[in-house]
Amino acid sequence: MPLLLAGTPADLDTAARRLADGSLVALPTETVYGLGARADDDVAVARVFAAKGRPSDHPLIVHVADVAAAERYAASLPPAARKLMDAFWPGPVTVIVPRRADVGAAAAGGQDTIGLRCPGHPMARALLERAAALGVHGVAAPSANRFGRISPTRAAHVMEEFAALGEDELAVLDGGDSAVGIESAIVDCSGATPRLLRPGSLSRETLRAVLGELAERDEASPRASGTLEAHYAPRAKLRLMGTAELRSGIELLGSDLKSAPGSQPVLALYSRSPVAALLPGKRLPERMLHRPMPDDAARAAHDLFADLRELDAAGVRLIWVETPPDTSDWEGVRDRLTRAAAA
Ligand code: TXA
Ligand code: MG
């Protein structure tokens, strides 16, 4: 099992030293946990790709303590990147900018751009500052999950994902629950117009208000694995359904589940509508379970990945999710659910 660290000053020193030595440290951030390695060391970065099972041409985000550290990786900081950094750093926004040719090639997966983010989680900041004191000015960190799986929002999730790694291979810093719960918004600032590659917790209106303009992702946009169709997938088959469709689905399937082999729950309903609204006057059929999705978009994002993990752990084969509202505050959650459904 990996080494679990509580985040005391001595733990942070241990974690910083491990990063400096080129080994892996999982760090808590406000979005999700990251699987970190020093970004200036191609051998250390290769350990991240190997541990995740991620193809080495999928670029990683480099985490920095401040704008000065970002400038060590950026060939230039276009005005759009500056605006986002000023407005939202430290925070859940990643900027893609032109990369300095001599740094971070492995972290960038060979792209001539680099993704940079200054996380807001106090423990991440403390770690990045201590690492900087040891000469490590950037930590390449994808979400700390195996490739294609659900991102971790708790240290226990990371321990689960990388249980096969030993104490000497990975240290996991426990910073509690990730406050945001879904990954950062990614804005490509390397072209003429800033482009939203991945929606996050900040709505596109909020981003656009700072940028003045914000284009959609298009075919020419650089590869982003978080934007692959099938991603963030639980083991169970996930389906997005409208409220009426959910109601008739439960009706149709209701009594059939009783005869399914085994005794575990087979189907999970994950909905903002309470059971009483989905099944007026009736009880939930046997072998079905219900998990409430918060009514508030920020809370729903916070709970999403932990809930999907728990439903997987309960052994259900199907997760029927009530489609979230079509408003922009829900865009990040809708995006993750749509990708999970495509897997
Ligand atoms: O919130 C987050 O962003 C978390 C935490 C740990 O910071 N990190 C994260 O990393 O979600 P990851 O690797 O799971 O997703 C990063 C996304 C990937 O889709 C990657 O392809 C894209 O960022 N990306 C990174 N650098 C890029 C670049 N130079 N050009 C285009 N996409 C890039
Ligand atoms: Mg990821």
Side-chain angles (χ1 to χ4, degrees), residues 120-140:
H121 193 296
M123 206 181 282
R125 293 178 60 69
L127 176 65
L128 289 171
E129 277 158 20
R130 277 174 161 81
L134 300 177
V136 177
H137 299 283
V139 173

Side-chain angles (χ1 to χ4, degrees), residues 82-255:
R82 290 254 180 219
K83 287 180 191 166
L84 292 173
M85 291 165 147
D86 286 347
F88 303 117
W89 279 18
V93 175
T94 297
V95 297
I96 309 286
V97 299
R99 176 174 63 84
R100 278 188 198 246
D102 56 336
V103 284
Q111 308 265 355
D112 54 9
T113 55
I114 188 124
L116 297 169
R117 178 162 110 78
C118 175
H121 193 296
M123 206 181 282
R125 293 178 60 69
L127 176 65
L128 289 171
E129 277 158 20
R130 277 174 161 81
L134 300 177
V136 177
H137 299 283
V139 173
S143 52
N145 53 277
R146 311 243 336 132
F147 184 60
R149 315 275 335 157
I150 305 170
S151 295
T153 55
R154 293 176 190 161
H157 299 162
V158 182
M159 296 296 281
E160 235 168 77
E161 290 284 322
F162 298 105
L165 295 186
E167 292 218 339
D168 50 333
E169 291 173 295
L170 173 64
V172 178
L173 268 176
D174 188 347
D177 258 33
S178 295
V180 173
I182 57 172
E183 303 84 350
S184 60
I186 302 179
V187 182
D188 183 1
C189 302
S190 67
T193 312
R195 234 169 246 291
L196 183 62
L197 298 187
R198 180 176 73 185
S201 54
L202 293 163
S203 76
R204 76 174 57 223
E205 281 86 68
T206 306
L207 296 170
R208 189 176 282 127
V210 162
L211 290 168
E213 53 177 354
L214 181 62
E216 293 297 315
R217 170 163 195 278
D218 67 9
E219 281 312 300
S221 296
R223 177 201 293 272
S225 73
T227 62
L228 290 180
E229 269 293 286
H231 214 70
Y232 312 108
R235 284 184 191 84
K237 179 88 194 125
L238 185 145
R239 225 177 120 184
L240 275 165
M241 298 159 85
T243 317
E245 195 189 351
L246 206 51
R247 239 181 237 127
S248 53
I250 300 167
E251 256 335 296
L252 273 171
L253 203 64
S255 52

